[in-house]
C-alpha cells in the first residue's frame, strides 16, 4: 500500500470547536447525541444536536455507519456483475438504481434499447417510486405518532412487491434491468396485476390523504416546520421532492427525459413554502402522477423484443446454446470476461424517489470500470438538514428527518 | 435461578421424601415455565441497519403481523430488549456500536443474524464490512436470504423459540 | 443557449487556462488548470451565458499507474439553461491538493470531505476537512487503486479472546 505516513489526521478538540457555537463551549447550551441507534433516524444516522433549552442551535451530522465500499467493489467486477451491487445502494428503490446504472453503461457503449423494454422500465420504476413513497409515508407518520398509516402503507406496498416478485423473482433486490434491456420479458399476468393495482390505488391514496391532510395534530407538527428557501435548496444541491417542496421546478424526468419519459403526460407537483407539510403533499401528489404514467405506459405497451439484439452487450438466448457452438463460446466469454466499452467517461442521472440519482462511470477500455461513482440524492439532501432544522424544536427534528426521506444505504454507499 | 433452586429443592424433598426425582421434575417444570415465558413475550431491539431492516418492518406490519408471536413491541432501548435482530450489513464504523448495544442488553439475550450480510458479509467481501456479525457478537440463529423474506425471518424467530424451549436455563453464555 | 456557446465563452475568457475540451457521447468536459479552477467555477456560475448554479456531483478518479495520477470531476448543471457540463482537474500524485469550491457551491462541502476521505486529496480552504465515511482512526484511503479490496482475514469460529486481540476497533 502506498499510503504515506502522517496522512491520518488526528483531531484535537481545538479543531472541532467550530462545529458548535461559542455558547456550547461556555456551557450555556446542551450537546445531545442522537443515534446511530435511534428509532427515528431512519437507519444509522448519528446527529450531534446543540440545544438551547428545546430549540436547536446547530446540528452536526455524522454519517458513515453503513459505509459498504460499493464503489471500490465495483472496480473489481465486470459491468454486468455490478448491477446486483447497485440494488443495495438505495435499498428502497433498487429499480431506479438499476435504471441509472444500466443507462449509464448503455450510454458508454452506445446501445439502443427497444421501446418495449423502455416502457416496462418506466412502469417498474414508477411502481418503485410509489413503493418507496409508501415506506416513507408510513415511517414518517410513525415518527409523528400516527401509527395506523404505517399499517395501511405496508399493506399496499405488498401488492407492488408481489408484482416485482412476479417479474424478477425477488421482492426487494430485483436486479431486473440489464444493459440493453431487461433480464427477461414480463410474465403472463403482469398486466392484469398492474391493472388491479391501478384500480385500487387511487382510493387508497385518498385514504392516506384523508387520514392526515386535515388532521389538526398533523398540521401542527408539519406546517411551517423545517423551512428551506428555494435559493438555499439550490445552493445546497437539494433535489427531488425536497427541492420541489420549495417550489423549484426541477425533475430530471421532465428536464432531460430518459427512457422515453417524454412520451407520457404527467405533472410535476410543486410546493410553496418548503416546509415539512409541502414536502408531504408533493410526495402524495407524486404517487398520483406515477399512477398516471403507469396507466399510459401500460395502455401503449408495444410488442417486440425486450432486449437489444446487439450481442456485444447481451448473452445469447438460452435455446441457442443447445445447437450453436459459437453461441456457447460467446456465452462463456460474456460471463467470464464481459464486454469492453471504449475508454471515456459518462454521467447519467435519473429521478429516483429521493431526487437526482446519478452514475458516473470512467472506463479505461478494459472489461472492468476504472471508477464508478454514485451521486446519491440523500447524501446531498442530508447536508441541508442543519439549515432546515435551525431554530426548530427538538421534537420537530424527527419530523424534518422524515420529510427529507433519507436512506442511509445510499448516503454511506 | 441459582439462588432459588436450593430452597425449592429442599422443600420438595421434605414433602416427597425422594429428593432426586422431585428435583429433576421441579427443575424441568421450572425450565418449562421459564422457556414458556421467554418465548411468549420476546421483545426485539428496534435496530435496523440496512436493506433487511425494511423487510423487518414489513414483518411487523399488517401483512405478516409479528404480534401473532407476542413480539410486536420493538424496544428502542437495549435495556428493555431480549432479542437483537441484526438486520443488515455491519460496517467497521458500526461494529463498536453493535457490540456496545449487545453488551447493554440484559440477560437473557439472543441474537438473530438476519440476511447474508449479517451472517457472512454477503456479497460485500471488502474493506468496509465486517464479515459476519458473528465475528463480534455470538449469534443464535442465522437467517439466509438477501434480504430474507418476512416468512424467512418468522421462521428464524420460531427456530429460536424452539431452541429456547429445548435449551437449559443458564445465567450467562 | 447551447453547450458550444458556453465553451466559446469560457475559451474567450480563460484562453490558456483551459487545457482541453473533450466531447464524448454527447457530454462536454472542460479540462482546466488547477490555478484557475475557482475563478472558472465562479465564472460558470455567474456569467449570464452559463449560469451553472447547481453542482450535481463532485468525485475523484485515480488513474494509477498512469500520470497525472488523480483527477477531480465537477458535474455541473444549469437550471435556467438545462445544460450539463463536466469540469476536470488533473493532479499529480506528489501534490494532491486542489482549491475548494465550497465558497461557490456550499453543497461541495460533503463531496469534498468524501473525496478527501476515500482518496486523500486535500482541498485547500475547506472549512471542515475531516473524514466523513470511515472511522476517524482509519489509516489509508481505500478508493486509491493501489489499496487492496479486502484488508482483514475472516475468522471461522467464535472466540471472545480472539476477537478482542484481533479486532481492537470493536472495543472502542
Amino acid at each position: 500500500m502506498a499510503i504515506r505516513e502522517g496522512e491520518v489526521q488526528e483531531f484535537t478538540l481545538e479543531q472541532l470547536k467550530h462545529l458548535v457555537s461559542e455558547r456550547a463551549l461556555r456551557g450555556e447550551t446542551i450537546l445531545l447525541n442522537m443515534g446511530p441507534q435511534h428509532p427515528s433516524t431512519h437507519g444509522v444516522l448519528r446527529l450531534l444536536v446543540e440545544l438551547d433549552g428545546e430549540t436547536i442551535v446547530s446540528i452536526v451530522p455524522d454519517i458513515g455507519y453503513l459505509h459498504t465500499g460499493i464503489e471500490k467493489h465495483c472496480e473489481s467486477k465486470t459491468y454486468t456483475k455490478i448491477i446486483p451491487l447497485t440494488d443495495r445502494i438505495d435499498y428502497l428503490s433498487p429499480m431506479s438504481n438499476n435504471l441509472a446504472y444500466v443507462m449509464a453503461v448503455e450510454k458508454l457503449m452506445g446501445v439502443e434499447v427497444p421501446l418495449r423494454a423502455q416502457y416496462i422500465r418506466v412502469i417498474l420504476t414508477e411502481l418503485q417510486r410509489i413503493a418507496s413513497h409508501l415506506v416513507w409515508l408510513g415511517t414518517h407518520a410513525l415518527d409523528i405518532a400516527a401509527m395506523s398509516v404505517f399499517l395501511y402503507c405496508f399493506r399496499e406496498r405488498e401488492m407492488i412487491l408481489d408484482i416485482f416478485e412476479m417479474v424478477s423473482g425477488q421482492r426487494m433486490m430485483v436486479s431486473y434491468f440489464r444493459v440493453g434491456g431487461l433480464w427477461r420479458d414480463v410474465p403472463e399476468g403482469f398486466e392484469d396485476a398492474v391493472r388491479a393495482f391501478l384500480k385500487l390505488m387511487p382510493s387508497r391514496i385518498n385514504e392516506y390523504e384523508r387520514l392526515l391532510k386535515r388532521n389538526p395534530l398533523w398540521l401542527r407538527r408539519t406546517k411551517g416546520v423545517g423551512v428551506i428557501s428555494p435559493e438555499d435548496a439550490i445552493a445546497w444541491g437539494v433535489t427531488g421532492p425536497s427541492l420541489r417542496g420549495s417550489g423549484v421546478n426541477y425533475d430530471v424526468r421532465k428536464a432531460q427525459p430518459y427512457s422515453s419519459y417524454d412520451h407520457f403526460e404527467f405533472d410535476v407537483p410543486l410546493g410553496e413554502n418548503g416546509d415539512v407539510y409541502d414536502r408531504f403533499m408533493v410526495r402524495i401528489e407524486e404517487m398520483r402522477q406515477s399512477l398516471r404514467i403507469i396507466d399510459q405506459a401500460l395502455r401503449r405497451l408495444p410488442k417486440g423484443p425486450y432486449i437489444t439484439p446487439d450481442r456485444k452487450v447481451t448473452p445469447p438466448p438460452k435455446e441457442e446454446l443447445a445447437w450453436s457452438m459459437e453461441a456457447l463460446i460467446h456465452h462463456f466469454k460474456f460471463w467470464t470476461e464481459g464486454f469492453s466499452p471504449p475508454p471515456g467517461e459518462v454521467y447519467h442521472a435519473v429521478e429516483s424517489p429521493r431526487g437526482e440519482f446519478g452514475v458516473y462511470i470512467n472506463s479505461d477500455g478494459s472489461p472492468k470500470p476504472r471508477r464508478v461513482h454514485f451521486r446519491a440524492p440523500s447524501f446531498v439532501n442530508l447536508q441541508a438538514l442543519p439549515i432546515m432544522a435551525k431554530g426548530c424544536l427538538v421534537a420537530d427534528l424527527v419530523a424534518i428527518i422524515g420529510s427529507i426521506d433519507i436512506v442511509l444505504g445510499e448516503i454511506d454507499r | 435461578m441459582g439462588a432459588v433452586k436450593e430452597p425449592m429443592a429442599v422443600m420438595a424433598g421434605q414433602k416427597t421424601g425422594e429428593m432426586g426425582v422431585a428435583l429433576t421434575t421441579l427443575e424441568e417444570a421450572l425450565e418449562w415455565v421459564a422457556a414458556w415465558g421467554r418465548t411468549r413475550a420476546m421483545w426485539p431491539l428496534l435496530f435496523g441497519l440496512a436493506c433487511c431492516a425494511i423487510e423487518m418492518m414489513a414483518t411487523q406490519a399488517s401483512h405478516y403481523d409479528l404480534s401473532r408471536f407476542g413480539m410486536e413491541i420493538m424496544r428502542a432501548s437495549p435495556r428493555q430488549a431480549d432479542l437483537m435482530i441484526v438486520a443488515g450489513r455491519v460496517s467497521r464504523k458500526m461494529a463498536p456500536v453493535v457490540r456496545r448495544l449487545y453488551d447493554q442488553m440484559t440477560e437473557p439475550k439472543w441474537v438473530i443474524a438476519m440476511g447474508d450480510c449479517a451472517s457472512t458479509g454477503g456479497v460485500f467481501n471488502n474493506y468496509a464490512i465486517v464479515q459476519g456479525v458473528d465475528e463480534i457478537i455470538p449469534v443464535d440463529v442465522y437467517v439466509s436470504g438477501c434480504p430474507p423474506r418476512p416468512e424467512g425471518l418468522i421462521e428464524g424467530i420460531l427456530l429460536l423459540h424452539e431452541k429456547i424451549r429445548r435449551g437449559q436455563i443458564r445465567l450467562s453464555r | 443557449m447551447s453547450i458550444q456557446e458556453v465553451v466559446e465563452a469560457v475559451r474567450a475568457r480563460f484562453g490558456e487556462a483551459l487545457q482541453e475540451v473533450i466531447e464524448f457521447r454527447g457530454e462536454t468536459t472542460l479540462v482546466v488548470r488547477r490555478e484557475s479552477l475557482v475563478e472558472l467555477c465562479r465564472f460558470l456560475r455567474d456569467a449570464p451565458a452559463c449560469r451553472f448554479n447547481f453542482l450535481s456531483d463532485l468525485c475523484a478518479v485515480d488513474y494509477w499507474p498512469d500520470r497525472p495520477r488523480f483527477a477531480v470531476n465537477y458535474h455541473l448543471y444549469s437550471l435556467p439553461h438545462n445544460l450539463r457540463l463536466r469540469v476536470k482537474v488533473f493532479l499529480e500524485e506528489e501534490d494532491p491538493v486542489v482549491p475548494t469550491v465550497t465558497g461557490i457551491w456550499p453543497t461541495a462541502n460533503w463531496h469534498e470531505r468524501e473525496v478527501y476521505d476515500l482518496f486523500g486529496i486535500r482541498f485547500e480552504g475547506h472549512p471542515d476537512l475531516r473524514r466523513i465515511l470511515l472511522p476517524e482512526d482509519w489509516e489509508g484511503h481505500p478508493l486509491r487503486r493501489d489499496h487492496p479490496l479486502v484488508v482483514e482475514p475472516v475468522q471461522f469460529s467464535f472466540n471472545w479472546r480472539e476477537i478482542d486481540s484481533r479486532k481492537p476497533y470493536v472495543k472502542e
Side-chain angles (χ1 to χ4, degrees):
Chain A
M1 280 194 287
I3 294 150
R4 288 188 295 278
E5 289 298 312
E7 277 194 7
V8 180
Q9 285 188 10
E10 294 280 326
F11 277 91
T12 57
L13 202 61
E14 279 300 310
Q15 282 166 297
L16 297 176
K17 269 183 182 170
H18 68 276
L19 295 175
V20 293
S21 75
E22 289 279 311
R23 295 169 59 207
L25 302 175
R26 289 200 301 270
E28 290 170 13
T29 54
I30 312 163
L31 289 177
L32 179 76
N33 178 58
M34 188 171 167
Q37 190 263 335
H38 188 276
S40 51
T41 50
H42 292 242
V44 286
L45 170 68
R46 181 176 167 219
L47 300 170
L48 181 67
V49 190
E50 187 188 346
L51 294 174
D52 180 9
E54 273 199 74
T55 315
I56 295 167
V57 181
S58 68
I59 296 181
V60 185
D62 182 10
I63 60 174
Y65 286 95
L66 199 60
H67 179 56
T68 318
I70 289 177
E71 290 177 7
K72 177 87 177 170
H73 215 109
C74 289
E75 292 169 12
S76 65
K77 290 198 179 291
T78 60
Y79 283 94
T80 316
K81 290 175 186 171
I82 292 173
I83 297 172
L85 292 181
T86 60
D87 286 332
R88 289 153 180 86
I89 297 170
D90 175 0
Y91 40 79
L92 282 181
S93 63
M95 290 282 187
S96 310
N97 308 353
N98 285 351
L99 184 66
Y101 173 73
V102 297
M103 290 203 73
V105 179
E106 280 155 10
K107 200 173 185 180
L108 191 63
M109 294 291 291
V111 177
E112 283 289 314
V113 183
L115 201 62
R116 181 178 173 83
Q118 292 190 13
Y119 274 50
I120 294 172
R121 281 177 178 184
V122 167
I123 294 172
L124 290 172
T125 338
E126 291 305 318
L127 281 174
Q128 183 75 75
R129 189 183 312 279
I130 297 173
S132 169
H133 282 353
L134 285 174
V135 174
W136 157 78
L137 182 62
T139 51
H140 181 43
L142 196 62
D143 287 345
I144 318 184
M147 175 83 189
S148 47
V149 184
F150 171 75
L151 299 171
Y152 288 130
C153 287
F154 270 71
R155 180 183 62 187
E156 269 74 65
R157 182 170 174 266
E158 287 298 325
M159 289 185 74
I160 301 179
L161 294 190
D162 285 346
I163 295 173
F164 286 174
E165 197 176 0
M166 183 190 270
V167 297
S168 75
Q170 249 278 33
R171 281 159 56 86
M172 278 173 69
M173 303 294 144
V174 284
S175 301
Y176 182 59
F177 302 155
R178 290 290 188 275
V179 178
L182 308 168
W183 169 49
R184 59 173 192 187
D185 208 347
V186 287
E188 294 277 320
F190 167 76
E191 289 182 30
D192 294 337
V194 179
R195 283 226 174 80
F197 177 75
L198 283 178
K199 201 167 162 219
L200 178 84
M201 199 57 198
S203 63
R204 293 288 162 86
I205 297 178
N206 293 341
E207 194 179 338
Y208 312 142
E209 205 176 346
R210 273 208 307 280
L211 276 169
L212 296 174
K213 195 177 168 187
R214 291 202 195 81
N215 184 334
L217 295 175
W218 182 264
L219 294 179
R220 291 280 291 274
R221 290 298 302 269
T222 57
K223 278 240 170 187
V225 173
V227 180
I228 185 163
S229 68
E231 295 78 28
D232 275 351
I234 291 173
W236 286 91
V238 177
T239 48
S242 309
L243 177 68
R244 293 193 284 276
S246 299
V248 182
N249 191 347
Y250 173 52
D251 186 323
V252 188
R253 292 176 295 174
K254 279 276 186 203
Q256 297 180 325
Y258 53 89
S259 193
S260 53
Y261 263 108
D262 46 346
H263 296 190
F264 310 117
E265 226 176 80
F266 64 100
D267 302 324
V268 178
L270 295 176
E272 285 168 8
N273 309 318
D275 55 3
V276 174
Y277 182 77
D278 277 12
R279 294 194 277 274
F280 156 72
M281 283 312 289
V282 164
R283 287 200 181 90
I284 292 275
E285 194 52 40
E286 252 182 28
M287 286 202 262
R288 295 204 176 98
Q289 297 302 328
S290 294
L291 289 177
R292 259 179 86 189
I293 299 172
I294 298 167
D295 186 42
Q296 293 171 46
L298 203 62
R299 271 175 214 283
R300 305 211 298 252
L301 186 63
K303 295 265 180 277
Y306 61 90
I307 194 162
T308 174
D310 183 354
R311 287 289 172 85
K312 209 172 172 191
V313 295
T314 58
K318 269 272 160 63
E319 57 272 14
E320 251 181 60
L321 297 183
W323 50 267
S324 166
M325 191 64 206
E326 288 74 22
L328 199 62
I329 295 171
H330 177 73
H331 178 86
F332 181 73
K333 289 271 278 183
F334 181 83
W335 289 112
T336 51
E337 194 187 311
F339 51 83
S340 309
E345 49 191 348
V346 290
Y347 176 84
H348 191 270
V350 304
E351 182 76 22
S352 99
R354 270 151 279 282
E356 178 187 324
F357 187 91
V359 177
Y360 166 79
I361 301 179
N362 189 318
S363 154
D364 54 357
S366 72
K368 290 172 183 172
R370 176 186 278 136
R371 170 101 167 97
V372 181
H373 176 76
F374 300 100
R375 188 260 189 216
S378 299
F379 179 78
V380 188
N381 292 358
L382 183 63
Q383 260 195 98
L385 175 69
I387 295 152
M388 291 178 188
K390 204 166 198 173
C392 289
L393 298 181
V394 67
D396 295 333
L397 185 57
V398 290
I400 298 169
I401 295 172
S403 77
I404 325 175
D405 190 16
I406 50 169
V407 168
L408 266 294
E410 73 170 4
I411 291 175
D412 299 341
R413 296 186 295 286
Chain B
M1 274 296 150
V4 182
K5 203 189 287 173
E6 224 177 351
M8 292 288 276
V10 171
M11 238 167 61
Q14 282 169 345
K15 274 192 178 169
T16 59
E18 284 178 50
M19 250 175 116
V21 176
L23 181 71
T24 42
T25 344
L26 199 65
E27 197 170 84
E28 266 173 18
L30 275 176
E31 285 200 345
W32 183 86
V33 169
W36 180 84
R38 284 173 177 184
T39 53
R40 285 307 187 274
M42 188 182 263
W43 290 356
L45 179 64
L46 178 46
F47 169 57
L49 290 170
C51 331
C52 294
I54 308 296
E55 285 296 59
M56 192 168 76
M57 275 155 59
T59 316
Q60 282 177 287
S62 40
H63 202 81
Y64 292 96
D65 195 11
L66 200 58
S67 59
R68 290 177 291 165
F69 309 102
M71 296 178 63
E72 77 275 25
I73 308 180
M74 299 285 261
R75 290 279 106 177
S77 162
R79 305 278 185 210
Q80 301 168 345
D82 309 308
L83 169 67
M84 179 189 234
I85 302 178
V86 185
R89 47 206 189 229
V90 183
S91 73
R92 282 282 299 272
K93 196 169 177 178
M94 194 65 194
V97 184
V98 174
R99 172 76 174 268
R100 169 173 278 194
L101 285 170
Y102 178 78
D103 289 345
Q104 281 176 339
M105 284 164 67
T106 45
E107 295 277 359
K109 54 191 172 186
W110 296 276
V111 177
I112 290 181
M114 181 185 180
D116 288 348
C117 297
S119 303
T120 66
V123 289
F124 300 112
N125 184 11
N126 62 24
Y127 65 94
I129 294 295
V130 175
Q131 297 301 301
V133 73
D134 52 2
E135 299 214 344
I136 50 173
I137 53 175
V139 176
D140 290 285
V141 175
Y142 299 86
V143 183
S144 67
C146 188
R149 298 175 59 91
E151 291 97 326
L153 179 62
I154 291 173
E155 199 206 350
I157 288 168
L158 295 182
L159 210 63
L160 180 69
H161 286 183
E162 191 61 35
K163 191 176 174 179
I164 293 167
R165 241 177 261 128
R166 289 205 190 150
Q168 298 196 326
I169 305 170
R170 283 180 298 167
L171 274 181
S172 76
R173 293 141 55 84
Chain C
M1 195 59 61
S2 73
I3 199 79
Q4 275 74 32
E5 290 171 59
V6 173
V7 174
E8 285 315 310
V10 171
R11 208 193 292 277
R13 169 81 165 67
F14 288 91
E16 272 299 291
L18 183 67
Q19 288 174 309
E20 203 184 345
V21 179
I22 305 169
E23 287 278 342
F24 183 73
R25 303 280 189 227
E27 294 183 9
T28 309
T29 309
L30 305 180
V31 183
V32 294
R33 279 188 211 289
R34 185 170 66 181
E35 294 74 42
S36 38
L37 172 74
V38 174
E39 205 188 334
L40 179 106
C41 285
R42 185 155 284 135
F43 176 78
L44 284 176
R45 187 192 66 175
D46 294 336
C50 309
R51 302 282 304 280
F52 285 93
N53 53 356
F54 196 86
L55 178 72
S56 268
D57 191 16
L58 191 161
C59 67
V61 185
D62 185 356
Y63 283 86
W64 183 82
D66 296 354
R67 300 186 72 95
R69 181 169 172 181
F70 296 112
V72 180
N73 289 327
Y74 300 80
H75 293 109
L76 310 183
Y77 178 68
S78 163
L79 278 171
H81 300 320
N82 191 16
L83 291 175
R84 279 190 193 279
L85 180 72
R86 181 184 299 119
V87 177
K88 201 176 181 90
V89 184
F90 280 102
L91 304 171
E92 288 295 340
E93 184 178 358
E94 295 74 33
D95 184 27
V97 179
V98 70
T100 177
V101 293
T102 43
I104 300 164
W105 299 286
T107 178
N109 190 324
W110 279 18
H111 287 299
E112 291 184 348
R113 277 177 70 187
E114 188 192 340
V115 170
Y116 164 73
D117 190 358
L118 301 175
F119 283 91
I121 296 173
R122 284 190 293 284
F123 289 86
E124 223 166 26
H126 189 282
D128 182 24
L129 198 62
R130 287 179 296 139
R131 281 193 183 273
I132 185 166
L133 293 178
L134 294 167
E136 306 256 304
D137 55 352
W138 187 280
E139 280 179 33
H141 301 285
L143 250 74
R144 290 188 171 196
R145 279 179 78 82
D146 50 1
H147 188 284
L149 179 66
V150 184
V151 292
E152 187 172 281
V154 179
Q155 170 188 318
F156 288 101
S157 64
F158 191 83
N159 182 341
W160 282 115
R161 257 227 221 102
E162 176 115 353
I163 287 170
D164 290 346
S165 68
R166 277 179 35 192
K167 295 189 169 48
Y169 59 87
V170 176
K171 282 206 298 190
E172 296 187 62

